[in-house]
Amino acid sequence: MKQTPLARSVTMEDVARDAGVSRALVSLVMRESPKVSPAKRAAVLQSAAALGYSPNRLASRLASHRTNTLGVLFLDLHNSVFADMYDGITEGIAGSGNQVMVAVGSADPGTELDALKNFVDLRADGVILAGYTGSAGELEAALRGTPAVVITREMEVDGVASVLTDDFRSGVLAVEHLHGLGHRRIAHVDISDWLPYTARREGYLHAMRQFGLEPMLVHSDMTERGGRAVMEAFLASGATLPTAIFAHNDLTAIGIMEALAIRGLAVPGDVAVMGCDNIEVAASPLIGLTSIDQHAGELGRVAAQVMLDRLAGSAGPAVTRKLEPVLMVRRSSDPSAV
Amino acid sequence: MKQTPLARSVTMEDVARDAGVSRALVSLVMRESPKVSPAKRAAVLQSAAALGYSPNRLASRLASHRTNTLGVLFLDLHNSVFADMYDGITEGIAGSGNQVMVAVGSADPGTELDALKNFVDLRADGVILAGYTGSAGELEAALRGTPAVVITREMEVDGVASVLTDDFRSGVLAVEHLHGLGHRRIAHVDISDWLPYTARREGYLHAMRQFGLEPMLVHSDMTERGGRAVMEAFLASGATLPTAIFAHNDLTAIGIMEALAIRGLAVPGDVAVMGCDNIEVAASPLIGLTSIDQHAGELGRVAAQVMLDRLAGSAGPAVTRKLEPVLMVRRSSDPSAV
DNA sequence: ATGAAAGCGCTAACAC
DNA sequence: GTGTTAGCGCTTTCAT
């Protein structure tokens, strides 16, 4: 019974013949068209089931010129902030008749662009990029006119909308919070220079300047492991510790807390720590990490909405939606916090 | 210059005309065929770039009858064990010329099957299911012969391979560990009855029986929130606490630890806790959760390998690869652990 | 090495 | 309602 793999599959033609109708009619039935007689519909469905027919969506998409599919590209599956965004996106497109296909960029310049091009080559109706790290030029070239919305970053590209939380403001909020707690030696662990996400750092620098404080910057890579490594190196260096550290994101902050914990240093007693994103684990009573809520779920929802509006033509050019970050105070900076 | 969206895109025909060659030749150039003269190749590439040509992969896949694409379905993006599997899968297919397209099932019976059918309808060469929760029958029907490998579960379906860690053994390991630590009142927080993942529970029950201990079972839903809710409810009930709890997975275990922490109960002092999966955060010094390593990355790698072998035809029927779980002792069960 | 012709499996008018 | 006729944009023999 077992056919050799890739044996010619059952086509609409086969179903049509079996049901004694035309191919077009089968097509209508498959697309649940209302203008098909119940009798014929039943016959077609019956034949399709009997023959084990599986519609070839490559063919239907090619012929119909639309895919009803949104490509969604994530930077990193290990950061749950993207899981939150995913949830928001699916909520946002629910009931729109669209579906998503997701890919992961992995912060690798090549992988990211390949995935993006793949979406375009597969003719996704639109693309949502959650954490794009490439350049505006590459993005524009890869898109070739495909509508796109970038989450967490402001892009000055034609036809590309941006949905993000005010990162500069987040940096300011962080410093204001720590300064208000009495800290003066406030360090910032940010990310590699080549990455385009610099606004949090800018905000930090701006606020430090405002307060007349000396900035302390260290680079890391947005991961837990990276944050931990950076803090371990710092501790090993014997340099004077800051009294507070603001990390680029929660993962990094957690890594920092780990390094401190291993060294037997108290948080916030010896060093206060805070992150940014407000991922699920930051709120855990076991961690209690002060953070800045980026509203990841909402970002996803809004991004989806912006995309749908754009596809419906009811949107002008290059929208930018910016949400207000919200400080979430927890034990890692303030012992009196819940 | 800007065309209206969805304007007829540049086709191979256009490029061919512009370059003064045949469509077939352009096709060869696009597929990097060696048998094209350098001159013509340059001309084609030049025209393609000038016209902003973007190959339509729907068409090429339709015509060539292969997609070189593996569909990967994940149960839950919030559980980082799937991120680990994803990494393993990409490692596994690296260099094979294949790519992945991912979808998320969300433990919803419908969503999961839709995503799966979509892979099939899009003619993925194969499908990898990480955390499939549906029935064998539905799986077989949806696949329609598409090769598949299921991770974390043993499936008795024709043409479907299984790659998993011995869950029964994991359950036994957990009980043995806790029993060895002197615990006798050992509870197990497992998952909903309708879910197909019962082997860990079976292992737990078996081992409890072996030791002549009374099993204590509570259902939850595999999430942190769920574990926390269940534990809070239990605490509120005033029932006598077990001295140790083995949770179905790490997320659940962490939720349990949170509920205990909020209640001011010490882990493992008042209650020892352990999970299963050994996700990244379990190993964090901030959490120190005893767990059972499922080798998620390895599972992904092996699954990819099995899939590739299958596609290359070098594999027999229905392989099952089962890995040995490994106990990772940490503070949540043993204070003397690192 | 290159071109011509015949599909791939479906949808989209347009007739009837 | 249902069938007919053209494609969609590409890959594939098969010539040359």
Side-chain angles (χ1 to χ4, degrees):
Chain A
M1 290 297 291
K2 213 71 197 168
Q3 295 273 11
T4 145
L6 293 187
R8 200 187 124 288
S9 61
V10 182
T11 83
M12 226 166 212
E13 190 71 53
D14 301 326
V15 175
R17 193 175 313 117
D18 187 271
V21 300
S22 75
R23 188 162 18 102
L25 215 245
V26 176
S27 177
L28 289 177
V29 171
M30 287 309 161
R31 282 175 289 154
E32 303 179 358
S33 162
K35 37 188 180 183
V36 175
S37 71
K40 299 271 185 185
R41 171 196 306 293
V44 167
L45 256 23
Q46 142 83 24
S47 297
L51 300 180
Y53 172 68
S54 159
N56 186 324
R57 286 208 214 193
L58 293 172
S60 72
R61 289 179 175 191
L62 175 61
S64 71
H65 291 285
R66 58 200 131 68
T67 60
N68 287 345
T69 296
L70 265 32
V72 178
L73 180 63
F74 290 115
L75 173 57
D76 177 16
L77 249 31
H78 290 277
N79 190 337
S80 74
V81 77
F82 294 109
D84 293 337
M85 288 181 197
Y86 174 82
D87 291 344
I89 291 171
T90 57
E91 265 180 54
I93 66 161
S96 74
N98 285 97
Q99 54 173 322
V100 304
M101 69 185 163
V102 354
V104 183
S106 320
D108 175 56
T111 314
E112 184 177 59
L113 243 91
D114 283 350
L116 182 52
K117 284 189 185 129
N118 191 40
F119 284 154
V120 173
D121 293 349
L122 249 18
R123 298 298 185 264
D125 291 343
V127 171
I128 297 180
L129 300 143
Y132 174 68
T133 64
S135 74
E138 288 171 324
L139 176 61
E140 178 152 37
L143 284 175
R144 288 195 190 300
T146 305
V149 15
V150 174
I151 306 184
T152 72
R153 187 171 164 196
E154 208 156 358
M155 301 258 23
E156 298 284 342
V157 176
D158 221 53
V160 176
S162 293
V163 175
L164 69 164
T165 303
D166 191 333
D167 278 333
F168 183 90
R169 179 89 187 111
S170 295
V172 171
L173 272 180
V175 174
E176 287 180 349
H177 170 62
L178 296 171
H179 182 269
L181 250 23
H183 293 284
R184 294 300 177 264
R185 294 180 48 78
I186 304 171
H188 178 48
V189 176
D190 71 341
I191 56 180
S192 312
D193 269 333
W194 65 269
L195 283 170
Y197 295 92
T198 57
R200 291 181 192 173
R201 168 174 54 209
E202 307 286 326
Y204 159 83
L205 291 173
H206 174 82
M208 289 296 277
R209 232 176 282 124
Q210 292 283 309
F211 285 123
L213 301 178
E214 189 71 26
M216 300 175 60
L217 282 177
V218 185
H219 294 309
S220 187
D221 66 359
M222 308 172 95
T223 71
E224 184 174 336
R225 190 188 306 259
R228 181 162 164 179
V230 143
M231 193 68 224
E232 279 171 350
F234 191 92
L235 288 169
S237 78
T240 310
L241 282 176
T243 65
I245 302 176
F246 165 48
H248 177 266
N249 67 4
D250 289 342
L251 249 31
T252 303
I254 289 173
I256 290 170
M257 289 174 75
E258 291 172 352
L260 291 169
I262 289 174
R263 192 66 162 230
L265 291 167
V267 173
D270 295 311
V271 186
V273 176
M274 64 178 292
C276 194
D277 280 352
N278 196 33
I279 58 179
E280 196 173 7
V281 68
S284 167
L286 304 176
I287 304 285
L289 174 66
T290 293
S291 187
I292 295 178
D293 196 351
Q294 198 189 162
H295 316 292
E298 180 69 11
L299 287 178
R301 212 154 25 235
V302 172
Q305 195 52 63
V306 167
M307 185 78 253
L308 292 180
D309 287 351
R310 169 81 156 76
L311 292 178
S314 68
V319 197
T320 290
R321 297 279 269 280
K322 204 179 267 191
L323 308 187
E324 266 305 300
V326 172
L327 176 69
M328 307 294 290
V329 181
R330 303 204 180 88
R331 291 199 321 271
S332 73
S333 69
D334 186 349
S336 71
V338 270
Chain B
M1 294 296 291
K2 215 69 197 167
Q3 296 273 12
T4 145
L6 291 187
R8 202 186 120 289
S9 60
V10 183
T11 85
M12 226 168 212
E13 190 71 52
D14 302 327
V15 176
R17 193 176 312 116
D18 187 271
V21 300
S22 74
R23 187 160 22 99
L25 212 253
V26 176
S27 176
L28 289 177
V29 171
M30 287 310 162
R31 282 175 289 153
E32 304 179 356
S33 161
K35 37 188 178 182
V36 175
S37 71
K40 299 271 185 183
R41 170 195 307 294
V44 167
L45 255 23
Q46 141 84 24
S47 297
L51 300 180
Y53 170 68
S54 159
N56 187 324
R57 287 207 210 189
L58 293 172
S60 69
R61 289 179 176 193
L62 176 60
S64 71
H65 291 285
R66 60 201 126 73
T67 61
N68 286 347
T69 295
L70 264 33
V72 177
L73 180 64
F74 290 115
L75 173 57
D76 176 17
L77 248 32
H78 290 276
N79 190 336
S80 74
V81 76
F82 294 109
D84 292 336
M85 288 180 197
Y86 174 81
D87 291 344
I89 291 171
T90 56
E91 265 181 54
I93 66 162
S96 73
N98 285 97
Q99 54 175 323
V100 303
M101 68 185 165
V102 356
V104 184
S106 321
D108 175 56
T111 314
E112 183 177 60
L113 243 91
D114 284 350
L116 182 52
K117 286 190 184 127
N118 192 39
F119 284 154
V120 172
D121 293 350
L122 250 19
R123 298 298 184 263
D125 291 342
V127 171
I128 296 180
L129 301 143
Y132 175 68
T133 64
S135 74
E138 288 172 324
L139 177 60
E140 178 153 36
L143 284 176
R144 289 195 190 304
T146 305
V149 14
V150 173
I151 306 184
T152 72
R153 188 171 163 195
E154 208 156 358
M155 301 255 30
E156 298 284 341
V157 177
D158 221 53
V160 176
S162 294
V163 176
L164 69 163
T165 303
D166 191 333
D167 278 333
F168 183 89
R169 179 87 187 111
S170 295
V172 171
L173 272 180
V175 174
E176 286 180 351
H177 170 61
L178 296 171
H179 181 269
L181 252 21
H183 293 284
R184 294 301 177 264
R185 294 181 48 78
I186 303 171
H188 178 48
V189 176
D190 71 341
I191 56 180
S192 312
D193 269 334
W194 63 271
L195 283 170
Y197 295 93
T198 56
R200 291 180 192 174
R201 167 174 54 210
E202 307 287 326
Y204 159 82
L205 292 173
H206 173 82
M208 289 296 278
R209 230 175 284 123
Q210 292 283 309
F211 286 122
L213 302 177
E214 189 70 26
M216 300 174 59
L217 281 176
V218 186
H219 294 309
S220 188
D221 66 358
M222 307 172 96
T223 71
E224 183 173 335
R225 189 186 308 258
R228 181 162 163 179
V230 143
M231 194 67 224
E232 280 170 349
F234 191 91
L235 288 169
S237 76
T240 310
L241 283 176
T243 65
I245 302 175
F246 165 48
H248 177 266
N249 68 4
D250 289 342
L251 248 32
T252 303
I254 289 173
I256 290 170
M257 289 174 78
E258 291 172 352
L260 292 168
I262 289 175
R263 192 67 162 232
L265 291 167
V267 172
D270 294 311
V271 186
V273 176
M274 64 179 291
C276 194
D277 279 354
N278 196 32
I279 59 179
E280 195 173 7
V281 68
S284 168
L286 304 176
I287 303 285
L289 174 66
T290 293
S291 187
I292 295 179
D293 196 352
Q294 199 189 162
H295 316 294
E298 180 70 11
L299 287 178
R301 212 154 25 234
V302 172
Q305 196 51 63
V306 167
M307 185 77 255
L308 293 181
D309 287 350
R310 170 82 158 75
L311 292 178
S314 69
V319 197
T320 289
R321 299 278 269 278
K322 203 178 266 189
L323 308 187
E324 265 305 300
V326 172
L327 176 69
M328 308 294 291
V329 181
R330 304 206 179 88
R331 291 200 320 270
S332 73
S333 69
D334 185 349
S336 71
V338 270

